[in-house]
Amino acid sequence: MYDLASVLKTEAVSNVRPGTSILIAGPAMTGKESLAIEILAEGSRNGDGALVVSTGDSAENIVEDYRDRVAGVSNLQLGVVDCRAEGSNGSLADGDTPPGLHVHKVSSPGDLTGIGIGITKCLEALHGAGAENGRMALVSLSTMLTYTDRETVFKFCHVLSSRLDAAGYVGVFTIDSGAHDDQTLQVIKQAFDGLVEIRDGESGREGRVMGLTDGPTDWTAL
């Protein structure tokens, strides 16, 4: 089981089963992506593997930021799927990375087949390195939805949930709730076991969890 309570500030996520997929939804500039990465970082501090799927940032930037977050962690196992690698001249190439780092580059956020292959390869590499437990973050589905339709993204998320289940990992996915109509959001939400809603409250970022308990949790400062 996975304990996400220290990051999401609610006991509702203190015992999350392996294979669970959670959607983090909120308006722009509410820190969804940072929250998702921090969920992974907390796992890395406890010895879990981590896999970041980025549709908007390079593998090089992801690795640098992540290493800063988990400074001091020994035997870090990190996978990165860089979905904006077309035309990239970054220093990290497939199969040419330091120990503990597993990178796969895809030409476009619209190449869902390539992204899926990259995720599978990274999961296999993480397992092969001994990371039997781990956490994955996909940032963000909104970028994918500018390249392809919501039904295709829904199917992709559904298939990916099965891969996470087989790997025994937990997954968090972000979406900008202000960038899509209600019907699109409802379609995407159906692919996930739970939902974390994010909003700007009077004292800063607040969140609540839905779908993983009998009812929604109270709004809590994050």
Side-chain angles (χ1 to χ4, degrees):
M1 294 293 184
Y2 293 92
D3 185 356
L4 311 184
S6 62
V7 179
L8 296 177
K9 310 300 182 186
T10 172
E11 289 304 309
V13 289
S14 62
N15 207 28
V16 177
R17 68 168 181 80
T20 298
S21 293
I22 301 170
L23 182 65
I24 301 177
M29 307 301 291
T30 50
K32 300 178 298 298
E33 290 77 11
S34 179
L35 186 68
I37 299 302
E38 185 56 32
I39 288 172
L40 268 62
E42 183 66 15
S44 291
R45 297 180 192 112
N46 294 315
D48 290 350
L51 171 55
V52 180
V53 183
S54 174
T55 63
D57 208 351
S58 69
E60 290 74 17
N61 288 342
I62 292 291
V63 170
E64 181 179 3
D65 174 71
Y66 199 83
R67 283 177 169 164
D68 287 344
R69 283 178 181 265
V70 299
V73 171
S74 60
N75 194 31
L76 175 65
Q77 293 294 332
L78 174 63
V80 180
V81 179
D82 178 351
C83 306
R84 297 299 295 267
E86 190 170 36
S88 171
N89 294 315
S91 60
L92 297 176
D94 291 11
D96 183 24
T97 54
L101 183 59
H102 317 280
V103 174
H104 187 85
K105 296 196 174 187
V106 183
S107 62
S108 162
D111 181 7
L112 301 191
T113 299
I115 294 170
I117 291 170
I119 290 170
T120 298
K121 286 185 176 181
C122 285
L123 288 173
E124 290 174 348
L126 288 166
H127 266 267
E132 295 299 319
N133 299 315
R135 309 176 184 199
M136 188 200 83
L138 191 153
V139 181
S140 109
L141 293 175
S142 291
T143 307
M144 289 183 172
L145 286 163
T146 66
Y147 285 80
T148 189
D149 61 88
R150 62 194 178 206
E151 286 78 15
T152 301
V153 174
F154 167 82
K155 292 176 183 176
F156 172 79
C157 293
H158 188 69
V159 170
L160 189 49
S161 294
S162 298
R163 292 183 187 175
L164 289 171
D165 194 34
Y169 278 33
V170 66
V172 291
F173 301 66
T174 67
I175 191 167
D176 182 350
S177 57
H180 313 286
D181 58 49
D182 289 342
Q183 188 174 5
T184 296
L185 291 172
Q186 289 305 317
V187 168
I188 298 301
K189 286 176 183 178
Q190 292 175 25
F192 296 92
D193 302 302
L195 170 69
V196 177
E197 288 189 323
I198 304 297
R199 72 179 185 185
D200 274 326
E202 293 181 0
S203 58
R205 183 176 63 188
E206 296 178 339
R208 68 174 179 176
V209 178
M210 305 176 70
L212 299 177
T213 56
D214 292 337
T217 63
D218 295 332
W219 288 98
T220 305
L222 297 176

